[in-house]
Amino acid sequence: MHHRFFALLLIISPLVIWTNLPYPYSFPRWIYLATLCTLWAVIITYDVWRKKVSLFFSTLDYAFFAFITILGIATIHSVDPWSSLWGSMERGFGFALWPELAIAYIGLKLAFEEKKSNYILWRGLICTVIIASLWGVAQKFIPAFSQTFSGSRIGGTLGNAIFFGSYLSLAIGGLSYFISSKIDTKFWRMTASAAIVLAFIVLLLTQTRGPLLGLLAGVCVFLFTYALTIPDVKKRIYVSTALIGATTVTLLFGIWLFQHNYISTTTATTRFINWKMAAQGFLDKPVLGWGVGQYARAADKHFDSTLSEFSIDETHADKPHNYFIELAVTSGALGLLSYFFLIVVTIYCTVEIYHRHEFSRVQLSLLLGIFATSFTQNLTAFETHGSIIRFVFTLALIASHQKKYSYRFAPFLSKFISIFLLCASVIISFFGAWIPTAHATALETVFATSGSYSEQHHAIQELTAQLFSTAYTPDYFTAISYAVLKNYWQQPTVYAQLSDDEKKMQRDDMTQLMHVIPQLENTYQTNATWNLLLGNTAYQIFVITHDREAGNIAEKLYIQAHLSAPNRQEALIQLAQLLLIKNETNRAIELLTEAINLDLQYPTPTWNRGLALFIAHKPQEAWSDISHAISLDVQKPNEQIAQYIYTQLLNAKMETEAADFERYFDGT
């Protein structure tokens, strides 16, 4: 009974949310999951030692644990093993997640084996899907809920639209399986049907194409599997022909929508650029990859500067939005092949169980449809907490039917495995979840938009003291840097209202930051993104304090970032900004020219060079760059910069150009 209780707690995990921590709120779910699985491991170990249960391993179990083992080896072999182990607070998806999922997998198998009452799990899923979906509806139509997601698309309790959509598409498949199994009352089957309709409506509201394509693929596979398993040969041929015709029409309709620009090509283009970068990264380390969660390191090295044309946010790539490509880059050919092996074994076991008459024709079709949904949406997205738990849930459901055909471990070996997983889970939870949880209040304080700076100062001191011992050093540093500098940059009116004591605290915190940066620099010397983060902090402190040492450190970090990612314009642009403040105008212009040559269609460096040329008293060349950047659809400047450009043009007797710029800025 206790395994069903823990399984139920796992099922409701998508409802865990703490919006005061960094978006997209994955870290609270990671804390919940780690704690839950550690407690579950205690129960499993107790049951094994008291001989209440035995550990049985089938072919599917071996495939699943082989995949986790390969990920573990890739983590040890990583370019940054510590980062690969823990991941980030933003994603909550380092290797540390997988031992916890292994415990959840074993526990779910034990829960599903208690067949007489496992309908409780399905009731939990129904309620979770309904609550999560209603939360999404509230986000769409009730303003008070809009703070629980970011951007223009709803993210439900999972924070992000892709996270939410991926979960809903797989949950729809799971609820359909529950209805077909007829393991509960008619009331709950009707409730599940209503939950499916609600989840599908909310899935449409998320406006995520990947999960929708995944659901469509799942439906197609379900229909084809159902048709191909019809006993009557003539009916099978008729139904299959009709399905092929319907699928063809659907594909032609999709092509027509694409050709007539009803489907945006921008996202697809950025995906293909990312995948080309990933292919180059894979060739660098083809066997075990760069390490779990280290796609960004490979992308930085092989960054394609044309990516920056499509969005000002696309100056960095941390995910290729294709789980298989991500696996290939981060865990190499071994990781990708072990994952494919797991999928093949799972499908084989599902078909085998069907032939033993333990799955009906509908159940077989639905399970294969669920895997098709997962596979398809992973072609355009990546695994998240919600989708990976649904995946493990489905694997455990299938594996629970393999007990008769599994190898039973000797009692000693069962005890060893349970103790090993328990110890691993305790260590992971202690360092990766429980200790950071003790600092959650400090994190919440530094990200708060209100409150006195003295409160934030104490939170900053607490986080700084843990900076070199935490599993999440980059996240802590980002929080500290944001808290110290936000009042000056994002909230100037708040900064003006600070008391003299609070301003002194802020200066002290800046000094402390500058002492920390060189120590962190040595650890992440070849990490372009990390060097940019450190460099931007030093640069902002230099602008505020005019401390030349801060400026020199920022310059060094930007140069290191450029050397680590030579095709990324960001470091060159930031370094040029720094040099302009240092009155090294000619050198800044040279760097901006280098950035422009990386991609002639990216407007930002051209615009910045135009401003630098004004400073160099070359108004004709400056206007040439400014007007060209405008033609490339550069982001409009603020009023202060616009006034500066207008004044410079007038001072250079370029009245016509000044009038053109005024019309551009006014939108006339």
Side-chain angles (χ1 to χ4, degrees), residues 192-206:
S193 300
I196 289 173
V197 174
L198 178 61
F200 180 71
I201 292 171
V202 176
L203 178 58
L204 294 176
L205 292 176
T206 65

Side-chain angles (χ1 to χ4, degrees), residues 340-352:
F340 282 146
F341 178 69
L342 171 61
I343 297 299
V344 170
V345 168
T346 304
I347 293 172
Y348 172 81
C349 291
T350 304
V351 174
E352 184 184 48

Side-chain angles (χ1 to χ4, degrees), residues 4 76 175 178 203 260 288 335 339 344 405 471 511 564 610 618 655 660:
R4 288 195 303 275
I76 296 170
L175 292 177
F178 164 75
L203 178 58
H260 289 77
L288 284 169
Y339 183 78
V344 170
Y405 307 91
T511 303
S564 300
K618 298 178 181 179
E655 290 84 359
D660 290 341

Side-chain angles (χ1 to χ4, degrees), residues 345-361:
V345 168
T346 304
I347 293 172
Y348 172 81
C349 291
T350 304
V351 174
E352 184 184 48
I353 295 168
Y354 164 72
H355 285 307
R356 295 202 306 262
H357 305 292
E358 293 182 43
F359 284 152
S360 67
R361 190 149 52 97

